[in-house]
Amino acid sequence: MNCRHCKAPLKHTFLDLGFAPPSNAYLTEADLNKPEIYYPLKVKVCDSCWLVQTEDYAEADSLFTPKYAYFSSTSASWLDHGKRYVDQVIEELELTNKSFVIEVASNDGYLLKNFLHAGIPCLGIEPTGSTATAAEKLGIPVWRNFFGEALGKILSIEGKQADLIIGNNVYAHVPDVNDFTKGLKSVLKREGTITLEFPHVMRLIERVQFDTVYHEHFSYLSLYTASRIFATAGLRIWNVEELPTHGGSLRVYGCHEDDARETQQGVADLIGQEINQGLQQLDTYLEFQPRADNIKNHLLAFLIEQKRNGKAVAAYGAAAKGNTLLNYAGIKPDLLSFVCDAAPSKQGQFMPGSHIPILPPEQLAEVKPDFVLILPWNIAEEVKTQNAKLAKSGTRFVTAVPKLSIQ
Ligand SMILES: [Zn+2]
């Protein structure tokens, strides 16, 4: 296999998590009696452009789209994050009712509705039917497509070039990152701006976030590598912000390469920091697997100890990262009896691979488990606040990454 960006041969493995079912392939009760398909979950690193990327295998590009159960609006902190971004970007870019905003992977419209309320025309691009319908109900126009150069050109021909193109948590999910970036180039107005948010691979490595690895996630990006990909498409990253979301993300600001805006010092500074943290040395990547294994072993030891002591352990958050962790550790309902999730679309279903049942959050108050393992550690504080009553009655909250923590 060759690098998805620079086409150099991929010789080095960053992380091998064995085999796992697609992390969003939630199961119904009837599915539990059927065979389940597991795919290799291996991540490589390119020693030429340092793009960390999921290894290719049969059907990868078409597999992970049909019943995508994730609705952005189910997380309160994510809604706040979106609102703050929109307020900031409208002011910075001086957007008005004459501007045009496109969001790629607009999900259920949680972000674009803020532009709608501000009177700024917008368009969502979203291939997943269920979330697109939810956005349309809010009054947001949606094109139900995958985004790439071909669609970018069609949008451009239809007069839909954008002053602002937003891609939040989509850049890492596209199989062909070069084609996606060329699409951005095609649909960007002369002086337009692109903002993309994606998890920062520097933080993934530093904080051992191996559970953010799943099949749907094709790339793990540094600012250096993202800048290279932009440059290849005739674009330039001229500014960057670090965000706390998803354990540490970047928000990059892009423009056409010949745009009048100067590249900010912060871009070179952060690339310098990446180099200092070893992101351009192969050893940094090769040393990651044992660090991930250590976390898995500690969690397993904790769960087995609670089982021996007769303690009840439940989990919170049927998120993709939870599935990676549970499947890599081989955890089943004997060690973790159920997982609660606020999304009605997941309740009553089962976690892929581990077959742990997904129940509504109210179940926690009924059962009062001794421990609640919070799988999406990025919203741990939110979950603890929502369940403050439970903590008062003696339940303790546990997170496994970056190391086992019991509070
Ligand atoms: Zn490469």
Side-chain angles (χ1 to χ4, degrees):
M1 179 190 169
N2 293 329
C3 172
R4 290 174 190 277
H5 168 56
C6 77
K7 311 302 173 197
L10 287 176
K11 297 176 294 225
H12 308 285
T13 298
F14 169 63
L15 183 65
D16 186 350
L17 296 176
F19 284 69
S23 66
N24 281 302
Y26 296 95
L27 304 169
T28 63
E29 193 155 11
D31 290 334
L32 297 181
N33 294 321
K34 297 175 191 163
E36 197 174 358
I37 303 174
Y38 279 55
Y39 299 91
L41 187 49
K42 196 188 267 193
V43 182
K44 312 288 271 189
V45 59
C46 173
D47 61 8
S48 173
C49 73
W50 303 108
L51 179 64
V52 175
Q53 51 202 294
T54 307
E55 188 176 58
D56 251 338
Y57 52 90
E59 301 172 87
D61 295 2
S62 58
L63 260 172
F64 306 111
T65 42
K67 56 170 195 183
Y68 202 62
Y70 183 73
F71 282 73
S72 296
S73 293
T74 50
S75 165
S77 59
W78 194 243
L79 287 174
D80 289 347
H81 173 75
K83 174 82 172 71
R84 277 197 305 276
Y85 161 79
V86 172
D87 291 346
Q88 181 188 331
V89 81
I90 288 176
E91 197 181 314
E92 275 177 9
L93 302 179
E94 299 175 349
L95 299 175
T96 67
N97 58 6
K98 306 251 181 328
S99 310
F100 187 57
V101 175
I102 292 178
E103 186 187 11
V104 182
S106 51
N107 198 273
D108 59 12
Y110 80 99
L111 187 78
L112 285 181
K113 71 176 182 190
N114 297 299
F115 288 101
L116 205 65
H117 294 161
I120 298 168
C122 59
L123 173 69
I125 310 290
E126 174 56 61
T128 311
S130 53
T131 53
T133 303
E136 282 165 345
K137 281 186 185 155
L138 298 173
I140 299 162
V142 181
W143 280 26
R144 293 169 189 231
N145 294 90
F146 285 100
F147 186 78
E149 191 176 20
L151 188 72
K153 285 185 171 160
I154 293 169
L155 284 160
S156 183
I157 290 164
E158 301 250 330
K160 296 200 177 299
Q161 284 205 318
D163 298 278
L164 171 63
I165 309 170
I166 305 162
N168 286 351
N169 293 297
V170 58
Y171 204 45
H173 290 70
V174 295
D176 189 343
V177 74
N178 290 341
D179 180 66
F180 184 93
T181 313
K182 285 181 198 159
L184 297 174
K185 170 86 180 174
S186 304
V187 75
L188 187 66
K189 269 191 198 164
R190 193 85 212 97
E191 294 175 346
T193 303
I194 298 160
T195 74
L196 301 179
E197 288 180 27
F198 49 83
H200 191 188
V201 74
M202 184 174 88
R203 300 298 175 203
L204 184 155
I205 292 173
E206 178 185 286
R207 298 168 186 168
V208 212
Q209 297 160 347
F210 74 99
D211 56 343
T212 63
V213 169
Y214 42 89
H215 298 107
E216 297 90 326
H217 218 159
F218 289 94
S219 307
Y220 304 83
L221 293 143
S222 62
L223 180 57
Y224 168 77
T225 303
S227 297
R228 271 187 70 145
I229 300 169
F230 266 58
T232 307
L235 296 166
R236 172 163 56 87
I237 291 178
W238 62 275
N239 199 10
V240 64
E241 288 172 47
E242 288 188 87
L243 306 172
T245 48
H246 294 285
S249 296
L250 295 181
R251 178 186 289 150
V252 299
Y253 290 74
C255 60
H256 289 290
E257 60 187 346
D258 55 357
D259 190 282
R261 283 170 287 194
E262 280 181 23
T263 302
Q264 304 292 298
Q265 182 58 34
V267 174
D269 288 350
L270 190 52
I271 291 176
Q273 200 185 333
E274 291 177 345
I275 292 169
N276 285 338
Q277 293 216 22
L279 259 58
Q280 297 186 18
Q281 291 163 30
L282 189 58
D283 281 352
T284 305
Y285 300 93
L286 301 182
E287 288 161 3
F288 188 73
Q289 178 93 42
R291 298 170 66 207
D293 288 347
N294 197 33
I295 290 175
K296 175 201 66 160
N297 295 341
H298 277 113
L299 175 64
L300 261 179
F302 167 79
L303 291 174
I304 292 168
E305 188 191 339
Q306 301 321 317
K307 177 84 178 171
R308 283 187 181 136
N309 294 342
K311 304 285 189 192
V313 188
Y316 192 98
K321 57 170 75 69
N323 286 322
T324 295
L325 176 66
L326 298 177
N327 284 321
Y328 184 48
I331 295 165
K332 302 277 189 262
D334 62 317
L335 292 180
L336 199 57
S337 47
F338 63 92
V339 51
C340 289
D341 198 281
S345 59
K346 291 181 188 170
Q347 293 164 5
Q349 303 210 50
F350 295 80
M351 302 282 266
S354 66
H355 296 186
I356 295 171
I358 305 168
L359 303 173
E362 294 75 41
Q363 191 70 16
L364 289 176
E366 250 171 68
V367 176
K368 291 195 178 62
D370 298 291
F371 297 94
V372 173
L373 171 65
I374 303 173
L375 294 169
W377 38 256
N378 51 310
I379 56 162
E381 290 310 313
E382 185 181 336
V383 173
K384 281 187 227 168
T385 309
Q386 282 166 358
N387 292 283
K389 243 187 194 170
L390 206 61
K392 271 190 191 147
S393 68
T395 296
R396 301 179 72 189
F397 290 89
V398 181
T399 43
V401 176
K403 59 177 193 167
L404 193 73
S405 159
I406 305 164
Q407 291 180 351

